[in-house]
């Protein structure tokens, strides 16, 4: 069975500093990995995904994530945090097997990012 | 384009009552999903529909039923609501397949008393 772990419930960072939100996964073979963001009382918004190719993936709002197969990690990063980045962030993995497993995402429990002015 | 829409936004039920959550997408997507979000547990898949005319169980299907009415619409029904079904429910859609991005609706906050 596949799983995703976000080891930090909360991350606090000062505005202008770099931020990292951690994600590790457990799957058989090559994973498809996603990051989503949720602002208060809103649905999830897609940030970026890793399918194949370059291990560094760039996404929306200046975010990027690095796929590290040896460490089974897919950490989300941003060079300079903004107060408006404060939100709940989810990492998710899509199952490896084909067939009827269309797009079934397994989500981590989420990490609350707070950026202080 | 409205994307993914859900109705209602909020609902309060008494134990044993039934209700249907509605979801529609206007992106011509083939696949649609229902998730529930509970504090500290992320999102868990309830049911999904890979294409029009097909539905299948996800991780937590007990107490729910779904209908893929047509390509646009995917409804979730609670036949006899229980307090354990108090949650925020999200509908999502994707073009198809496991590498496609899922797009989420704004959610329905359901409280079962």
């Amino acid at each position: 069975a596949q799983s995703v772990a976000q080891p930090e419930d909360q991350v606090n960072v000062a505005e202008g500093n770099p931020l990292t939100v951690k994600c590790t996964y457990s799957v058989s073979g090559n994973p498809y990995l996603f990051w989503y963001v949720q602002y208060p009382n809103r649905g999830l918004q897609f940030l970026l995904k890793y399918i194949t190719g370059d291990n560094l993936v760039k996404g929306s709002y200046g975010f990027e994530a690095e796929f590290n197969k040896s460490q089974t990690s897919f950490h989300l990063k941003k060079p300079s945090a903004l107060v408006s980045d404060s939100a709940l962030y989810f990492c998710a993995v899509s199952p490896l097997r084909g067939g009827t497993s269309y797009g079934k995402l397994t989500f981590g429990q989420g990490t609350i990012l707070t950026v202080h002015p | 384009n409205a994307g993914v829409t859900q109705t209602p936004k909020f609902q309060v039920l008494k134990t044993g009552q039934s209700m249907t959550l509605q979801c529609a997408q206007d992106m011509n997507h083939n696949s649609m999903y229902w998730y529930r979000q509970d504090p500290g547990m992320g999102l868990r898949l309830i049911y999904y529909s890979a294409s029009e005319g097909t539905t299948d169980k996800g991780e937590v299907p007990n107490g729910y039923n779904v209908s893929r009415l047509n390509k646009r619409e995917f409804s979730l029904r609670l036949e006899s609501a229980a307090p354990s079904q108090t949650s925020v429910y999200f509908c999502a859609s994707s073009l198809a397949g496991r590498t496609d991005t899922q797009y989420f609706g704004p959610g329905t906050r359901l409280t079962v008393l």
Side-chain angles (χ1 to χ4, degrees), chain B residues 39-57:
Chain B
M41 301 187 72
L43 277 76
R44 292 179 293 170
L45 183 65
I46 304 171
Y47 270 93
Y48 69 103
S49 171
S51 60
E52 186 179 355
T54 69
T55 61
D56 209 344
K57 295 178 180 179

Side-chain angles (χ1 to χ4, degrees), chain A residues 7-19:
Chain A
E8 300 159 318
D9 291 336
Q10 277 197 298
V11 170
N12 296 293
V13 64
E15 188 173 31
N17 283 0
L19 71 86

Side-chain angles (χ1 to χ4, degrees), chain A residues 3-4 8 19 23 37 69 83 89 98 102 113:
Chain A
S3 63
V4 176
E8 300 159 318
L19 71 86
C23 171
V37 61
K69 188 171 184 178
V83 172
Y89 289 80
Y102 290 96
L113 172 66

Side-chain angles (χ1 to χ4, degrees), chain B residues 89-103:
Chain B
Y89 291 85
F90 289 100
C91 178
S93 70
S94 68
L95 187 58
R98 61 184 184 272
T99 63
D100 290 319
T101 300
Q102 291 187 20
Y103 295 89

Side-chain angles (χ1 to χ4, degrees), chain B residues 34-101:
Chain B
W34 276 105
Y35 293 90
R36 60 177 289 172
Q37 182 180 22
D38 301 294
M41 301 187 72
L43 277 76
R44 292 179 293 170
L45 183 65
I46 304 171
Y47 270 93
Y48 69 103
S49 171
S51 60
E52 186 179 355
T54 69
T55 61
D56 209 344
K57 295 178 180 179
E59 183 184 352
V60 288
N62 291 345
Y64 305 95
N65 284 300
V66 291
S67 295
R68 183 75 182 265
L69 305 170
N70 48 55
K71 191 172 185 178
R72 289 187 65 247
E73 298 173 289
F74 189 38
S75 63
L76 179 71
R77 182 160 179 83
L78 287 69
E79 292 290 351
S80 178
S84 61
Q85 294 178 305
T86 294
S87 188
V88 182
Y89 291 85
F90 289 100
C91 178
S93 70
S94 68
L95 187 58
R98 61 184 184 272
T99 63
D100 290 319
T101 300

